[in-house]
Amino acid sequence: MMGERLGYAPGVFDLFHVGHLNILRRAREHCDRLIAGVCTDDLVVCLKGRPPVVPLSERLEIVRSVRYVDETFVATVDDKLEIWKEVGFDVIFKGDDWLGTERWNTLETEFSKFGVKVVFFPYTAHTSSTLLRSALGLLAQRNPAEAPSGNPTSPLHETGGRDGKSAISRMP
């Protein structure tokens, strides 16, 4: 489609929260089609020194399901110029916590040579995956026996409850 503005919003998107949603919503308002770049688990380890809580396949499914996202891209490298060569976006979006950093100042200069615009959106200060991860860690330390593991202690029966009784009330 002629004149279509393609946007790219890169991220880890671990422990998906309202800050992620805000970036994707705002990004979609500034382009005709939005591609969300989701980092592989290995790339997350390289970038953050620890694996994501939520594995790539699930993060992709979550991000793909957001109505503002037209397509997802699996980012295997952190080099945004390399990703641009593959994806061909016209504008890239980031949170303003990156604004003014040496890395993004350099990227803005490089991208401007190709007509790619860099747009920063306000960072959602009250939440982040790092804060959520810390809160979960504190909860697990405080009540290790009660910390949810994600695995039920007993199998769910076909009717939905652990005891064979339905977890949902049904009308006769």
Side-chain angles (χ1 to χ4, degrees):
M1 181 174 171
M2 191 76 154
E4 181 177 71
R5 188 170 190 192
L6 183 59
Y8 182 72
V12 174
F13 299 105
D14 195 20
L15 298 173
F16 196 89
H17 54 76
V18 75
H20 295 131
L21 187 62
N22 288 340
I23 289 284
L24 296 172
R25 179 188 303 119
R26 303 261 336 259
R28 188 61 173 85
E29 293 170 354
H30 290 82
C31 61
D32 299 307
R33 281 186 356 109
L34 179 63
I35 297 175
V38 182
C39 298
T40 63
D41 295 348
D42 289 341
L43 182 55
V44 175
V45 171
C46 289
L47 295 173
K48 298 189 177 259
R50 57 177 163 42
V53 173
V54 179
L56 175 63
S57 61
E58 293 177 23
R59 290 182 288 122
L60 278 168
E61 189 173 338
I62 291 165
V63 173
R64 245 185 230 124
S65 298
V66 174
R67 68 178 172 190
Y68 309 111
V69 175
D70 296 297
E71 191 177 331
T72 55
F73 175 82
V74 175
T76 59
V77 296
D78 190 35
D79 186 329
K80 303 299 186 267
L81 287 170
E82 284 300 313
I83 292 170
W84 171 77
K85 289 175 186 172
E86 192 170 340
V87 175
F89 49 84
D90 302 299
V91 59
I92 186 169
F93 305 100
K94 280 302 275 183
D96 67 2
D97 52 323
W98 292 96
L99 182 63
T101 63
E102 183 178 335
R103 176 173 185 216
W104 279 88
N105 286 342
T106 301
L107 275 171
E108 279 187 277
T109 300
E110 289 300 309
F111 276 135
S112 70
K113 295 175 185 174
F114 303 103
V116 175
K117 186 171 168 116
V118 178
V119 175
F120 295 94
F121 294 125
Y123 181 74
T124 307
H126 69 278
T127 190
S128 72
S129 296
T130 302
L131 284 172
L132 291 172
R133 182 188 275 263
S134 295
L136 290 172
L138 288 173
L139 288 172
Q141 287 175 359
R142 191 175 320 151
N143 299 312
E146 298 174 23
S149 66
N151 297 318
T153 55
S154 60
L156 293 175
H157 295 281
E158 288 181 18
T159 56
R162 293 194 200 305
D163 58 2
K165 295 178 184 164
S166 177
I168 300 172
S169 299
R170 293 193 170 88
M171 299 295 285

